[in-house]
Amino acid sequence: MKPLTILGIESSCDETSASVMENRQVLSNVIANQDIHIKYGGVVPELASRAHQSNIVPVVHETLTRANRKMEDLDAIAYTIGPGLVGALMVGSSFAKGLSIGLNLPLVEVHHMKAHVLSHLIVDSAQKNPEFPFLCLTVSGGHTQIVVVESPLNQKIIGSTRDDAAGEAFDKSAKILGLPYPGGPLIDKYAKEGDPFKFKFTEPDIEGLDFSFSGLKTNVLYFVRDQVKLNPDFVSIELPHLCASIQHTIVSILINKIKKAMDETGIKRIAIAGGVSANSGLRRALMDLQKDDCEVFIPKFEYCTDNAAMIAIYGHYEFLEANFGSLESIPKARFSF
Ligand code: KG4
Ligand code: ZN
């Protein structure tokens, strides 16, 4: 039987990505990053759209070449319809629609956050797939959620952030320390050399399974401002300890809520997804948690941050249900879960 071959396209923020997937296996997953935003300290939407425009054709071409597949081998085109930056989403959606008309192929509209969760169902020798139901802690630059996953297409949010996302907490704290965007990976890097208990930052007291990270950012801002008044070199001298302490606080907030979610749902399978799941402190804390009778699933590194393989796997499951998209659909900056 011919395998199910899906082309996934992702363009919701500042990564242009395309992937060819065959029966849940990734044949190629090409990701073009956009360095242009570094000097602005954050993603500039208009520049992101323009970079997607220049990247999309070569990225799709490259992914088909690496997969050793032709356009004619495809069964469907899955693309991110939201949530994300509208101008950025528009590039992937227009390209996907054009291809669908040209090749007479069905379209599948993909929810970016649900796709992050399904990165766990990609078949890859380097990762194991969780059984259902499982809990997924989805932590990215724009979202922080705990999701109960009953089946690939049955996902329900049981906790989410009331203000900043975990990735934002990393990036904004990094900015206060004078680190370039995106600061998350840099905090992770410097934290390796630092003492996580040297500085104590506040953890919010939020009921239930919701999160809050805006207090931490303010805490870091005032603390650093006061210390710099006493010693202008404070940040450069203490950088590793500051990074380790900030990372420790964010990870502790996340781990405490995930423990609570396990208690409340009785589900002992924990997966993480989204860009922050690349964080080594979070990965380590989850591995420690695994010692307490729960099973932990950490995606392969390239499936953590934004990528099109996760879009293709979501497309795979929607295709099996014949849930196809329409040429009339427009990208959604906000997209209910
Ligand atoms: O999922 P993602 O690639 O894009 C969004 O959909 O937002 O997540 C990007 C976020 C950024 O905030 C980035 O700083 C964070 O993930 N991130 C990290 C690490 N790698 C990426 N945060 C902490 N440690 C890392 N190693
Ligand atoms: Zn994402």
Side-chain angles (χ1 to χ4, degrees):
M1 204 169 88
K2 182 197 174 303
L4 177 52
T5 310
I6 309 271
L7 173 69
I9 295 176
E10 156 64 26
S11 72
S12 67
C13 192
D14 59 344
E15 263 102 24
T16 319
S17 180
S19 166
V20 177
M21 171 166 284
E22 233 163 60
N23 288 355
R24 293 171 57 204
Q25 283 187 329
V26 179
L27 299 188
S28 60
N29 184 32
V30 176
I31 304 170
N33 304 110
Q34 303 180 358
D35 293 339
I36 181 115
H37 307 287
I38 293 173
K39 61 176 179 253
Y40 299 99
V43 177
V44 183
E46 174 62 25
L47 295 180
S49 314
R50 289 188 208 181
H52 285 305
Q53 290 267 19
S54 9
N55 289 342
I56 190 92
V57 172
V59 163
V60 170
H61 187 262
E62 178 67 19
T63 213
L64 285 163
T65 308
R66 284 195 206 171
N68 196 19
R69 293 292 180 273
K70 298 192 177 58
M71 298 269 193
E72 302 81 68
D73 298 319
L74 301 174
D75 294 302
I77 299 151
Y79 73 97
T80 310
I81 191 166
L85 302 170
V86 161
L89 291 165
M90 206 87 87
V91 177
S93 98
S94 309
F95 188 87
K97 286 175 188 174
L99 214 52
S100 129
I101 296 170
L103 299 171
N104 195 24
L105 287 177
L107 281 171
V108 181
E109 297 164 1
V110 177
H111 191 296
H112 180 88
M113 296 311 295
K114 292 185 176 178
H116 266 302
V117 173
L118 290 206
S119 57
H120 285 280
L121 302 189
I122 291 171
V123 173
D124 187 308
S125 55
Q127 67 177 28
K128 55 179 180 160
N129 304 122
E131 282 173 30
F132 298 105
F134 65 93
L135 293 176
C136 188
L137 173 68
T138 318
V139 270
S140 71
H143 297 81
T144 299
Q145 301 170 334
I146 300 178
V147 179
V148 177
V149 191
E150 298 282 357
S151 69
L153 302 178
N154 183 352
Q155 305 183 15
K156 197 172 87 211
I157 298 175
I158 54 169
S160 56
T161 182
R162 296 189 179 171
D163 39 58
D164 291 349
E168 258 177 303
F170 271 108
D171 296 339
K172 288 180 176 172
S173 302
K175 200 170 178 177
I176 295 168
L177 302 181
L179 299 173
Y181 178 85
L186 293 170
I187 292 209
D188 193 358
K189 179 177 150 201
Y190 294 118
K192 293 193 170 81
E193 316 284 309
D195 172 4
F197 301 102
K198 174 133 194 203
F199 303 110
K200 177 110 187 86
F201 296 111
T202 40
E203 289 191 28
D205 185 15
I206 305 283
E207 265 178 51
L209 298 174
D210 283 347
F211 301 88
S212 168
F213 289 100
S214 63
L216 171 65
K217 171 192 65 195
T218 316
N219 193 197
V220 172
L221 180 67
Y222 290 155
F223 176 72
V224 168
R225 192 191 58 185
D226 292 347
Q227 294 300 317
V228 166
K229 274 186 201 154
L230 302 172
N231 176 3
D233 296 329
F234 173 74
V235 173
S236 56
I237 294 168
E238 301 288 355
L239 190 63
H241 304 310
L242 283 164
C243 289
S245 303
I246 291 166
Q247 177 167 301
H248 173 77
T249 313
I250 296 173
V251 169
S252 165
I253 295 170
L254 295 171
I255 294 290
N256 285 336
K257 290 290 177 174
I258 204 74
K259 278 184 184 163
K260 196 164 185 184
M262 277 198 288
D263 287 346
E264 288 188 10
T265 61
I267 300 171
K268 301 284 185 190
R269 279 182 286 270
I270 308 296
I272 47 166
V276 180
S277 57
N279 182 266
S280 58
L282 180 60
R283 288 171 169 241
R284 209 169 30 246
L286 281 163
M287 293 324 287
D288 286 346
L289 201 65
Q290 187 157 240
K291 291 175 193 142
D292 309 336
D293 84 336
C294 74
E295 220 183 334
V296 171
F297 299 85
I298 299 179
K300 204 175 155 190
F301 206 76
E302 68 169 298
Y303 307 141
C304 288
T305 45
D306 289 350
N307 69 88
M310 70 184 197
I311 306 303
I313 185 86
Y314 197 89
H316 173 97
Y317 285 103
E318 288 281 31
F319 186 98
L320 297 180
E321 297 295 316
N323 285 337
F324 297 121
S326 146
L327 290 173
E328 323 291 292
S329 302
I330 52 167
K332 305 172 202 307
R334 290 172 182 276
F335 189 6
S336 59
F337 202 78

